[in-house]
């Protein structure tokens, strides 16, 4: 079996023609959708970037036990599990957070990995004394607050990198780039390296390739021809890195940001098309499974917000695209509820690997034959922040009872935040906690959660509305009209408590959301992982 897993960051479902998007053309995503199973009710799990990836590796929710952090020593990882069974695993990525202390362990789980430098604030070129005057002339200070640290350090690094890309080609101020210049874009380099891997190894069997692109994550910087096609470049200064805040600015400025995002999605679509061309030319479709998805979406002014994690996890953020094309699968649309955590057992089952007992997700392999996978509800959220529980029709945003998140703890053996170690003050609260059902008998450190720690869950909680809103996303897809339906809220609260219990969430998490711990005498069942999967089907048809 051969699998190619293509993971984009912040790819909005509404941007794709296959999901009804009309703002821009996405011919290659749509071309793939025609021969794939398109999942219509696929949701995130833990937010944002690295917590989502821990969900993908482990088949469990991250946000119930800790904030953003490394792959834990006791964690399962689909990449390691595949490798242990003789499946060669490789990742090509430009996702800069893997290079930070809070993102360690993920690429190391693969047999080999390649990292492309230069995305966001990862320095493409180190300039100790950056040309600040030139940067201030080109970049809008609302998106590039050079004097506001620590954010100023990050945007300065990025603006230096972007300026140096263009300076080296004589293309300052978004002047037209020749095709040769586009080779510098990290997404282009990701697909270059992925196609080189495929050219070398494409005829081998039993491999897993992950192509992970940071785009279309902000800053929304795309080659000039895509920007022109999207109608970008109509403001005096660069507006492509919106601050996560409520929407301000003129209609023209809002349109500029959206155009820059559209340009970047079009750039991603073209690069994805190169992979599809390779599969066409080599007849690779015959024995290769291709999975395409994202980690979360991004608000582009909807609900009067920019961003993804300081507000409720609205549909634009949490309802994400997933498309899977298997040689023995059926093309079509799967209407059932699925979630990011479900990717891990799916990948393992595709390669005939056993599903670890710690997994709390559902394999999607039956769905590739149009069969139900059995998921009735899902919970999703950020550590310390609001939690959403959904059944695919109703979304209920369950806010914490206390805006300070007092009493929460991190349960970890890898005490790191996004880009730094836990502080001495935090470490001073550490005590040993008994093993949990996913730590394989290992005790863990229990460390007090302190705000502010740069984690958006605390900020989202502080902005909570008077009541936790409930929406019917079938009749109200834009979530503009909250419902008054206590019976549905109670039903979803019971479902949420069951998910927390199945994940061995600590008692303070139940208290955080005002939920009752389910009675153990009632019994808690974990989802099954068996079934007439395509791995079995493949064996039967080739034997």
């Amino acid at each position: 079996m051969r699998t190619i897993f293509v993971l984009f960051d912040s790819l909005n479902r509404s941007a794709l023609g296959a999901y009804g998007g009309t703002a821009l053309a996405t011919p290659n995503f749509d071309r793939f959708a025609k021969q794939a199973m398109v999942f219509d009710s696929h949701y995130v799990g833990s937010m944002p970037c690295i917590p989502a990836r821990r969900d993908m590796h482990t088949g469990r929710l991250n946000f119930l036990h800790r904030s953003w952090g490394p792959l834990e020593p006791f964690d399962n990882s689909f990449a390691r599990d595949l490798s242990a069974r003789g499946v060669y695993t490789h990742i090509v990525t430009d996702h800069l957070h893997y290079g930070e202390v809070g993102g360690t362990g993920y690429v190391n789980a693969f047999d080999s990995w390649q990292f492309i430098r230069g995305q966001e604030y990862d320095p493409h070129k180190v300039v100790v004394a950056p040309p600040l005057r030139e940067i201030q002339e080109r970049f809008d200070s609302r998106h590039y607050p050079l004097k506001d640290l620590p954010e100023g350090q990050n945007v300065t690094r990025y603006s230096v990198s972007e300026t140096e890309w263009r300076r080296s080609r004589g293309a300052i101020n978004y002047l037209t780039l020749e095709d040769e210049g586009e080779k510098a874009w990290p997404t282009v380099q990701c697909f270059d390296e992925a196609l080189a891997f495929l050219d070398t190894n494409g005829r081998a069997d039993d491999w897993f390739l992950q192509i992970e692109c940071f785009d279309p994550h902000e800053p929304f910087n795309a080659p000039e021809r895509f920007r022109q096609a999207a109608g970008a470049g109509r403001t005096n200064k660069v507006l492509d890195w919106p601050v996560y805040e409520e929407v301000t600015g003129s209609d023209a400025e809002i349109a500029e940001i959206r155009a820059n995002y559209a340009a970047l999605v079009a750039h991603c679509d073209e690069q994805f098309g190169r992979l599809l061309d390779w599969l066409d030319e080599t007849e690779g479709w015959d024995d290769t499974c291709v999975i395409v998805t994202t980690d979360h979406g991004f608000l582009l002014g909807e609900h009067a917000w920019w961003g993804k994690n300081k507000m409720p996890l609205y549909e634009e953020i949490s309802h994400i695209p997933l498309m899977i094309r298997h040689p023995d699968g059926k093309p079509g649309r799967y209407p059932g509820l699925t979630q990011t955590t479900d990717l891990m057992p799916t990948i393992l089952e595709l390669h005939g690997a056993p599903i670890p007992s710690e997994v709390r997700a559902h394999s999607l392999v039956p769905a590739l034959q149009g069969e139900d996978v059995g998921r009735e509800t899902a919970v999703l959220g950020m550590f310390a922040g609001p939690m959403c529980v959904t059944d695919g029709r109703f979304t209920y945003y369950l806010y914490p009872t206390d805006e300070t998140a007092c009493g929460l703890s991190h349960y970890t053996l890898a005490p790191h935040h996004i880009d730094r170690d836990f502080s001495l003050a935090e470490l001073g609260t550490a005590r040993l906690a008994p093993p949990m059902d996913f730590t394989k008998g290992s005790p863990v450190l229990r460390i007090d959660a302190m705000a502010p720690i740069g984690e958006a869950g605390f900020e989202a909680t502080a902005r909570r509305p008077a009541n936790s809103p409930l929406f019917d996303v079938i009749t109200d897809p834009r979530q503009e009209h909250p419902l008054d339906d206590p019976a549905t809220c109670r039903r979803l609260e019971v479902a949420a408590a069951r998910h927390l219990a199945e994940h061995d969430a600590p008692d303070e998490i139940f208290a955080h959301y005002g939920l009752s711990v389910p009675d153990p005498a009632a019994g808690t069942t974990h989802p099954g992982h068996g079934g007439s999967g395509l791995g079995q089907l493949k064996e039967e048809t080739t034997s």
Side-chain angles (χ1 to χ4, degrees), residues 11 15 24-29 216 222-223 225-227 229-230 260-272:
L11 179 62
L24 70 151
T26 53
N28 293 299
F29 286 120
R225 60 190 175 93
F226 294 103
R227 299 184 68 254
N260 278 318
Y261 178 80
L264 194 49
V265 172
H267 177 49
C268 292
D269 179 83
E270 181 176 276
Q271 293 305 307
F272 179 56

Side-chain angles (χ1 to χ4, degrees), residues 333-355:
R333 304 193 81 96
Y334 180 75
L337 182 65
T338 60
Q339 186 172 27
T340 293
T341 52
D342 296 333
L343 291 172
M344 186 267 201
T346 303
I347 291 168
L348 292 182
E349 187 172 350
L350 287 171
H351 288 268
I355 310 300

Side-chain angles (χ1 to χ4, degrees), residues 296-314:
H296 51 69
F298 192 91
L299 286 172
L300 293 165
E302 301 90 347
H303 307 282
W305 274 96
W306 299 111
K308 64 193 178 214
N309 56 8
K310 295 186 179 181
M311 67 295 292
L313 300 181
Y314 291 114

